[in-house]
Amino acid sequence: MEIRPLLMCFALCVVYATSKPTEKKERVHHDAPLSSREHDDAQGFDYDHDAFLGQKEAKSFDELSPEESKRRLGVIVVKIDGDSDGFVTEVELKAWIKKAQKKYIYENVDRQWKDFDVNNDGMISWEEYRNVTYGTYLDDPEPDDGYNYQHMMARDERRFKMADQNGDQIANKEEFTAFLHPEEYDHMKDIVVLETMEDIDKNGDGFIDLNEYIGDMYNHEDEMEEPDWVATEREQFSEFRDKNKDGKMDREETMDWILPSDYDHAEAEAKHLVYESDSNKDGKLSKEEILNKYDLFVGSQATDFGEALVRHDEF
């Protein structure tokens, strides 16, 4: 069985606590780039292919003939068309691209799923997760490893309830993904902020002051000069993090710090693909319009061809 999510988080905390004092802890969540390549259609469509398929899968498309690529792309268009109205919109294309780019997250959830779905009913209840994760530890009310498992379980249950959108204490695959990777879901942002503030707010006043902010990143040791980046972070806190200049960060300021509103690359790529392919300029793409520009699409974020090459039954 893989290391359980919350226990893994605590293991990481131990690593941070014992790491070199010059190392910087990173709490800010950024979306991964769609491609490591430059986006320059004049030089080729490699960026679009990486974006549409995912970088790992994009290379496999080179093995296909134009005829086969068009045929498989046609199958994929049907999947992208979420409302089955015969057209692909920017919103549908953006959703597909984001899903392709987060494939590693879904793979991680799939690996853990079988460990927690004890009764094999295709769902994971809070009871199942709790028993698998904490059962043996809760048998010992006073473990000698220094961890408060009751506190950890309560924190996990709070996050589970937030991910469980219908409130039935049972998680389907999407809800369990939100539980394990809350930073990827808008409705989970509050819990990410709350957990972060609880970790850093040592005096329990509900805010993060400068000393707590620096103390979370930097393990100071006596007679050691602070690295330059620490001074830079002090300036960042005063100039940018603490927006209202009251000497501390509240919930909104903490959210702006750890979950910044980055440039939405998936949205920009969806707009680009629609603009380049929408021959009648009606703001949406027909299957014919997409196939006419198959060399732009195939291999990009929307297709996931890598596994499709293996799963011939899908085509």
Side-chain angles (χ1 to χ4, degrees), residues 178-189:
F179 170 69
L180 294 182
H181 300 275
E183 70 283 352
E184 301 293 340
Y185 291 81
D186 287 342
H187 71 280
M188 298 294 289
K189 286 184 177 180

Side-chain angles (χ1 to χ4, degrees), residues 210-221:
L210 177 58
N211 290 334
E212 290 167 335
Y213 176 79
I214 295 298
D216 180 63
M217 299 180 180
Y218 173 63
N219 296 323
H220 179 73
E221 289 185 355

Side-chain angles (χ1 to χ4, degrees), residues 200-203 205 207-218 226 229-242 246-250 253 257:
I200 303 176
D201 175 24
K202 301 304 182 184
N203 64 12
D205 67 350
F207 299 92
I208 298 174
D209 61 33
L210 177 58
N211 290 334
E212 290 167 335
Y213 176 79
I214 295 298
D216 180 63
M217 299 180 180
Y218 173 63
E226 285 187 353
W229 66 260
V230 176
T232 300
E233 285 297 337
R234 292 182 190 278
E235 294 177 5
Q236 288 285 318
F237 182 92
S238 299
E239 296 297 324
F240 303 105
R241 310 284 186 236
D242 177 20
D246 64 351
K248 54 194 176 184
M249 287 195 297
D250 57 23
E253 290 167 330
W257 167 43

Side-chain angles (χ1 to χ4, degrees), residues 100-115:
Q101 293 299 315
K102 290 178 169 55
K103 182 182 174 186
Y104 73 95
I105 290 176
Y106 293 107
E107 289 176 343
N108 172 265
V109 173
D110 286 340
R111 285 194 297 269
Q112 298 193 52
W113 186 265
K114 63 181 182 300
D115 294 331

Side-chain angles (χ1 to χ4, degrees), residues 247-299:
K248 54 194 176 184
M249 287 195 297
D250 57 23
R251 192 194 72 83
E252 288 75 18
E253 290 167 330
T254 302
M255 179 175 289
D256 288 342
W257 167 43
I258 64 173
L259 297 170
S261 299
D262 291 337
Y263 176 76
D264 195 329
H265 294 279
E267 181 177 346
E269 176 66 6
K271 289 180 180 294
H272 168 68
L273 294 175
V274 170
Y275 176 81
E276 293 294 335
S277 309
D278 184 16
S279 58
N280 64 3
K281 303 304 177 185
D282 63 352
K284 54 189 177 183
L285 301 180
S286 66
K287 183 176 181 180
E288 181 181 7
E289 287 175 322
I290 292 176
L291 295 183
N292 285 341
K293 297 284 289 188
Y294 79 93
D295 56 335
L296 172 65
F297 280 88
V298 178

